[in-house]
Every structure is written in C-alpha cells, then in structure tokens.
Amino acid sequence: MLELFRRLDGSAGRLPVPWWLRALERGDISTRAEGFEFEDAVHSLLSKRRGWIFVPWSTAGEIGYWEYVPSDRPPMTVPTTVTLTDQHPGWLNILPAQVDSGRTVPVPEPGIDGLSGLLPRIESW
C-alpha cells in the first residue's frame, strides 16, 4: 500500500488518505500498526470520559474525529473537537468550540499523555 501511495501521490499531498499513511511515508512512524495503536489509545482515553463522542465520518480519506458534546452550546456552532493529524509528531489537533467561522487555529497536542493532562482544561472551555 505504501509503495502504491508513493507512486500515486508521495509527499505532494493531493490524495485523500489517513494521517498515518502520510506519517508512514515520511518515516515519522515505522508501521501502519503504530498508527492504529495511537488511534486505539485516543479512543480508549476519550471513550471513558463523559461527554466525548466519536464521529465516524470526516473528510475523504480521513478517519473520524472526537467531539466534546457539552461544548456544543450557543453561541458556539462547532463543539470542541480532537482530530488526528500528520502535521506534527503529537498526531493530535484540538479545536476549541467555535462559531462557524472556520478561522479557529488548531492547538497542536503532544500525544496521548499531553491530551490526558489537558482534558480537564479542554472540557472547561
């Protein structure tokens, strides 16, 4: 699969693919299983906390994302969201609850331990 991705797209970034495939292509993770293990760890952490739900659909090629339902209240139109990303080695972006302006800058988060430590603060936004 990786070789096919490299032939079709490589680092050009045009094909819609999961975060872990781009990370694997760059050598940031060693195996597809490593990406799946990270996704499973995020799922394990957030599914145990009240108010977090997994939204299984996302943009083409991506897996779903996590929303913090209590943050979905007026005037906010988009709840606090945790997404997986290949943009940095923390593999997570946190988007605070927002009005639907599309201008909120994601907060890069350094992995599971960082997310775990920040959850009380994130859930209070």
Side-chain angles (χ1 to χ4, degrees), residues 5 12 21 27 30 35-36 38 42 51-52 61 66-67 73 81 84 96 101-103 106 109 111:
F5 172 68
L21 186 53
S30 302
F36 290 169
F38 187 80
V42 173
W52 287 95
W66 289 87
E67 288 184 348
R73 62 190 181 285
T81 305
L84 291 150
S101 66
R103 295 188 173 205
E109 180 47 49

Side-chain angles (χ1 to χ4, degrees), residues 3 7 17 19 48 52 69-70 84 97-99 106 109-110 118:
E3 190 54 41
R7 281 187 288 160
V17 298
W19 70 276
K48 292 176 185 171
W52 287 95
V69 176
L84 291 150
Q98 59 187 303
V99 275
E109 180 47 49
L118 279 178

Side-chain angles (χ1 to χ4, degrees), residues 9-22:
D9 190 62
S11 59
R14 291 183 302 267
L15 287 179
V17 298
W19 70 276
W20 55 263
L21 186 53
R22 293 195 192 287

Side-chain angles (χ1 to χ4, degrees), residues 88-124:
H88 56 81
W91 311 129
L92 295 170
N93 279 336
I94 303 164
L95 296 134
Q98 59 187 303
V99 275
D100 197 15
S101 66
R103 295 188 173 205
T104 300
V105 176
V107 178
E109 180 47 49
I112 298 297
D113 292 338
L115 178 61
S116 179
L118 279 178
L119 278 174
R121 185 170 144 219
I122 292 167
E123 293 168 350
S124 72

